[in-house]
């Protein structure tokens, strides 16, 4: 499903990504998964991908900061993995929850392809386990193995749709507070 963020949505998500990166720098947190490049782009594009997935699902995106694995990127248990190239696979790591939904989002702001999803437990197949670029092993789920019917996520979690407005703006004061503390 192709999702194009508005420029206001890109700005909001990019601001969240910037806050996430500044928070990581301030706390001197190394990249947990072995990435040794600049994290600005990863945090900004990741936040934009989260917003695109939430938009595809018609769900609220909080733009949370410093929550790490405590809850999901969307709701309590939806994790979004944003990849810049359209031929990349969905990454599921060993410490990821078995019962969470993992959504693959491909592209770069403002245009994304919300490619599909899989449960964390279903992603752990031996043939998908690999290590790329000297980074720790993870499962790389091919796009063809993902479920592209996003409505099934609502059925799986018995979720209600968010009201049709940008609720993420309400999270901005909290974001600013967390970066300043």
């Amino acid at each position: 499903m192709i999702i194009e963020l508005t420029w206001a949505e890109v700005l909001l998500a990019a601001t969240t990504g910037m806050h996430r990166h500044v928070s990581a720098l301030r706390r001197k947190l190394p990249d947990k998964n072995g990435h040794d490049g600049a994290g600005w782009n990863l945090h900004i594009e990741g936040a934009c991908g989260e917003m695109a997935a939430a938009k595809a699902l018609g769900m609220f995106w909080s733009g949370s900061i410093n929550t790490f694995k405590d809850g999901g990127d969307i709701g309590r248990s939806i994790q979004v993995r944003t990849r810049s190239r359209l031929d990349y696979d969905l990454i599921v790591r060993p410490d990821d929850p078995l019962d969470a939904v993992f959504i693959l989002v491909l592209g770069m702001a403002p245009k994304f392809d919300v490619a599909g999803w899989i449960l964390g437990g279903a992603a752990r197949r031996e043939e998908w386990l690999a290590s790329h670029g000297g980074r720790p092993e993870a499962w790389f789920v091919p796009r063809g193995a993902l479920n592209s019917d996003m409505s099934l996520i609502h059925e799986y979690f018995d979720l209600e749709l968010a009201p049709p407005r940008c609720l993420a703006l309400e999270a901005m004061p909290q974001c600013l507070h967390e970066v300043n503390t």
Side-chain angles (χ1 to χ4, degrees):
M1 171 185 302
I2 302 299
I3 297 291
E4 188 155 352
L5 300 179
T6 66
W7 291 114
E9 290 168 331
V10 169
L11 180 60
L12 177 62
T15 301
T16 297
M18 178 191 66
H19 284 284
R20 289 175 179 173
H21 191 69
V22 167
S23 179
L25 289 173
R26 183 173 183 208
R27 294 168 57 191
K28 296 179 174 53
L29 297 176
D31 185 89
K32 172 179 151 180
N33 299 305
H35 178 73
D36 60 1
W40 289 102
N41 195 51
L42 294 177
H43 283 111
I44 290 171
E45 291 294 342
C48 287
E50 291 172 16
M51 180 173 273
K55 193 172 180 178
L57 290 167
M59 293 180 67
F60 169 70
W61 177 69
S62 70
S64 63
I65 299 169
N66 294 332
T67 55
F68 302 100
K69 302 277 184 192
D70 183 27
D73 296 322
I74 304 169
R76 289 185 307 272
S77 39
I78 298 174
Q79 301 292 334
V80 177
R81 300 295 158 87
T82 304
R83 310 292 309 272
S84 59
R85 289 184 30 183
L86 300 179
D87 61 338
Y88 279 164
D89 297 329
L90 171 70
I91 300 173
V92 177
R93 302 201 181 279
D95 61 342
D96 285 332
L98 297 173
D99 60 346
V101 166
F102 290 84
I103 298 176
L104 175 61
V105 177
L106 302 166
M108 295 177 72
K111 192 172 184 179
F112 294 95
D113 182 0
V114 181
W117 63 276
I118 193 169
L119 288 173
R124 287 162 165 80
R125 292 178 43 179
E126 188 65 32
E127 64 266 28
W128 297 336
L129 188 62
S131 177
H132 295 291
R135 295 173 75 180
E137 276 192 335
W139 290 273
F140 291 82
V141 183
R143 182 177 185 159
L146 300 175
N147 189 327
S148 60
D149 187 349
M150 302 306 276
S151 69
L152 293 177
I153 294 174
H154 290 279
E155 291 178 24
Y156 180 77
F157 287 111
D158 195 24
L159 300 171
E160 294 182 23
L161 295 177
R165 63 187 183 98
C166 184
L167 295 176
L169 289 173
E170 296 168 4
M172 286 306 292
Q174 175 191 358
C175 294
L176 293 173
H177 172 74
E178 289 179 4
V179 168
N180 290 323
T181 57

